[in-house]
Amino acid sequence: MRWQPRSLLAAVLSLVALPAWAQATNVAVNKPSSASSIHFTGYPTQFSNVKAFNGILNTEDRWAGGPVASATTPEWVEVDLQAVFRIEGLTLHSGRDTTVGQQMLDFEVHHRLATTASLEPVPGGTVTNNTQPTWTLQLAQPLETRYVRLVCKRASGDGICRVRELEVRGVRLANQPPTTFAGSDTAIVQPASTVQLTGTASDPDGTVASYQWQQVLGPTPATLTGTTTRTVTASNLTPGTYIFRFTATDNGGAVGADTVSVKVHAGTQAADARAGKIHVWSRGGTYDTAVFLPIEYGADPLKKYPLVLSMHGKGGTTLSSDHTTVLSNPEGFIRQLIPGKAIVTTYPAVVIAPHGPAIGATPPYNTYFGHGPIHALVLEAITRFNIDPDRVTMTGLSFGGGGVNDQLIHFRSTYAGGMPLAYTSPVLTPLCGISDFPLWASGNSGDGTFNAWKWANPTDGVLTQLRQCPNYTGESQVTVTLGDTHSGWDEFWSRPEAQTWLVSQVR
């Protein structure tokens, strides 16, 4: 029915009275997407699933599937709206353009609230014998969902499914607050009186607009510097326990907060002499190990710490050739904890870094980490140091990343999380056996050892397969960085969020 307001006032009142979903916009633009396949011609620059949701309507910018679709082997493209939206309608621009007759003939639109939920048909979203290059659906009832998938079963011309744009019109439901993490609890021993804290925050349906730190508990007022940034410095601390709150506010005004505690020891019981340093743990020449102990390790004999296993590459080292000293620049995550690094005084975990080459070995090294001996090392470390057995994680670069995969395959129950860098994905049957395991992989896009395509391609990439597992918990992620070289691990480990992730996982 045509709307004909009788006056300007009536028009304004009518607009105000409209439900939110009636004022919907295209909420799919530039949201993350995936697809069953991508056409091999010019991959990924010419055809890509992101082109189906980029808001550009021209003849050369579109997603195209790889094989010819059929009713039994359909091709699909899916968008993640990144929050729950109330959907009011859809518009599909298919084919090459509006003049060339190459559009989808038979297709369906499905949706789901989460990756673990089953796909359900969108009412009115099943179409056969379509003749329109642009198809629009106005839903009789708004639909609340997060993931929208277009399934193509038959296309005209050469049979390849093409999408120039899939518009999803809707409005976001209630603004979701940011997810915040103030960092792991830490401690210092006098005469130290200063600590640096770094919080992280992300917003599922917008952006983080501001940060705020404040003290909520403590024996004396601390001096805080950088209270409106992610990283705050608390100084003039006296013996006792301090609690600091980290607050993040998003662009919609929603607030998320988390707290972190800092325990200041009076120094009546001295910390371990090795605390805050890296020392050699001699194990008789078999995987002699560099060990980092937190700055206040030993001051509280009852305190248990997370344990991080750090593995170097097959040609890497952590110790001198005679295994008596730690190198000034050891390879692996433990390099982040050498003297002079900022996190030395705040990192709350014990870090062990086994040395692969045998005593007296000379370059070029070609060493590997056997999964059995490395697991024995980890179990021995749990009993040797004050370790919380539920907070043991592992990370490694190149073949050290392969060591992470080996531990995951053979001894998964020992670990709370794994971070393989610059190494290809795990081979495990069935893969769903690790779909509830926290995993964060990363590597350069052009690094053949990493093989970004095998990790993240939308058809059968490891991440894609994990998301389809019935017990997937959403704890797997892959970060692909720009670059063609076999490198990038030091830059990745220097990220505060990566350092925090390794000590935040709980089995």
Side-chain angles (χ1 to χ4, degrees):
M1 182 176 68
R2 188 175 182 183
W3 180 50
Q4 294 180 317
R6 289 173 292 180
S7 67
L8 179 60
L9 177 61
V12 172
L13 292 176
S14 297
L15 180 60
V16 172
L18 283 175
W21 60 265
Q23 303 168 39
T25 58
N26 182 10
V27 297
V29 176
N30 296 325
K31 295 295 176 61
S33 62
S34 57
S36 54
S37 68
I38 299 174
H39 200 278
F40 54 86
T41 301
Y43 174 85
T45 56
Q46 187 170 347
F47 305 108
S48 174
N49 43 280
V50 298
K51 294 177 181 291
F53 307 101
N54 64 3
I56 300 173
L57 285 174
N58 62 42
T59 59
E60 299 301 328
D61 205 74
R62 62 185 181 279
W63 166 74
V68 173
S70 70
T72 56
T73 58
E75 295 297 309
W76 55 263
V77 63
E78 180 176 287
V79 62
D80 174 7
L81 302 176
Q82 296 189 296
V84 177
F85 282 76
R86 181 176 288 123
I87 304 306
E88 176 256 337
L90 303 157
T91 296
L92 166 64
H93 302 271
S94 68
R96 292 177 177 166
D97 53 44
T98 59
T99 59
V100 179
Q102 188 146 2
Q103 65 273 342
M104 293 187 189
L105 301 176
D106 300 345
F107 59 87
E108 297 175 355
V109 185
H110 298 166
H111 77 99
R112 54 183 172 173
L113 274 170
T115 55
T116 53
S118 299
L119 287 164
E120 299 180 10
V122 171
T126 299
V127 178
T128 57
N129 299 318
N130 171 54
T131 60
Q132 302 299 318
T134 299
W135 169 85
T136 296
L137 171 66
Q138 192 76 14
L139 294 174
Q141 294 292 331
L143 182 68
E144 294 184 1
T145 195
R146 171 169 173 169
Y147 298 87
V148 177
R149 176 179 293 194
L150 173 68
V151 180
C152 172
K153 297 184 173 182
R154 186 167 64 102
S156 60
D158 58 7
I160 297 298
C161 302
R162 293 176 171 85
V163 175
R164 288 188 298 127
E165 191 76 18
L166 176 59
E167 298 178 12
V168 181
R169 297 187 303 280
V171 293
R172 189 178 65 192
L173 296 182
N175 182 25
Q176 299 182 49
T179 299
T180 58
F181 179 60
S184 300
D185 294 342
T186 189
I188 58 175
V189 181
Q190 286 187 324
S193 62
T194 299
V195 68
Q196 189 176 76
L197 306 171
T198 299
T200 58
S202 61
D203 189 38
D205 55 357
T207 58
V208 175
S210 63
Y211 305 104
Q212 182 68 54
W213 282 95
Q214 62 185 139
Q215 178 181 340
V216 295
L217 183 69
T220 58
T223 300
L224 300 181
T225 305
T227 57
T228 59
T229 67
R230 285 181 50 212
T231 300
V232 68
T233 299
S235 54
N236 296 326
L237 304 180
T238 60
T241 298
Y242 290 81
I243 295 179
F244 300 97
R245 178 183 291 117
F246 173 64
T247 301
T249 304
D250 69 14
N251 57 327
V255 174
D258 188 33
T259 58
V260 61
S261 70
V262 178
K263 189 172 184 179
V264 182
H265 296 282
T268 53
Q269 177 169 329
D272 191 298
R274 302 164 300 178
K277 306 179 183 69
I278 305 176
H279 70 275
V280 176
W281 172 16
S282 178
R283 304 181 66 250
T286 302
Y287 292 145
D288 290 330
T289 302
V291 179
F292 170 82
L293 298 178
I295 192 71
E296 38 74 25
Y297 184 88
D300 182 353
L302 299 179
K303 182 173 181 177
K304 299 293 184 180
Y305 297 85
L307 175 65
V308 178
L309 168 65
S310 166
M311 290 178 278
H312 59 65
K314 72 176 183 178
T317 56
T318 56
L319 305 178
S320 58
S321 62
D322 61 1
H323 294 201
T324 60
T325 58
V326 180
L327 298 177
S328 60
N329 204 24
E331 185 176 88
F333 175 71
I334 202 164
R335 181 181 292 175
Q336 301 298 318
L337 296 159
I338 60 177
K341 293 279 189 176
I343 69 168
V344 167
T345 59
T346 60
Y347 205 61
V350 174
V351 180
I352 58 173
H355 177 83
I359 292 178
T362 58
Y365 304 113
N366 190 19
T367 54
Y368 301 87
F369 291 113
H371 60 267
I374 289 298
H375 186 244
L377 165 68
V378 170
L379 296 182
E380 186 178 351
I382 291 174
T383 60
R384 185 182 184 90
F385 302 102
N386 294 344
I387 301 300
D388 180 348
D390 290 328
R391 300 176 66 191
V392 180
T393 59
M394 51 184 166
T395 186
L397 65 98
S398 190
F399 216 84
V404 172
N405 288 345
D406 285 344
Q407 293 299 302
L408 176 58
I409 292 170
H410 295 283
F411 304 108
R412 178 224 148 125
S413 62
T414 299
Y415 300 95
M419 183 183 285
L421 303 185
Y423 195 77
T424 194
S425 55
V427 178
L428 184 69
T429 303
L431 190 61
C432 287
I434 59 171
S435 61
D436 59 347
F437 184 82
L439 185 68
W440 190 356
S442 179
N444 286 339
S445 57
D447 179 1
T449 303
F450 172 59
N451 196 340
W453 175 258
K454 186 176 180 182
W455 272 107
N457 84 80
T459 304
D460 60 355
V462 167
L463 187 59
T464 302
Q465 294 183 60
L466 289 174
R467 287 174 172 171
Q468 296 171 350
C469 294
N471 59 331
Y472 178 64
T473 56
E475 296 177 278
S476 298
Q477 57 184 313
V478 177
T479 299
V480 180
T481 51
L482 295 177
D484 295 325
T485 59
H486 184 53
S487 62
W489 40 79
D490 287 325
E491 293 81 2
F492 189 84
W493 278 321
S494 67
R495 298 181 180 188
E497 60 268 28
Q499 298 165 359
T500 298
W501 189 94
L502 286 168
V503 295
S504 303
Q505 308 310 312
V506 180
R507 185 175 59 172

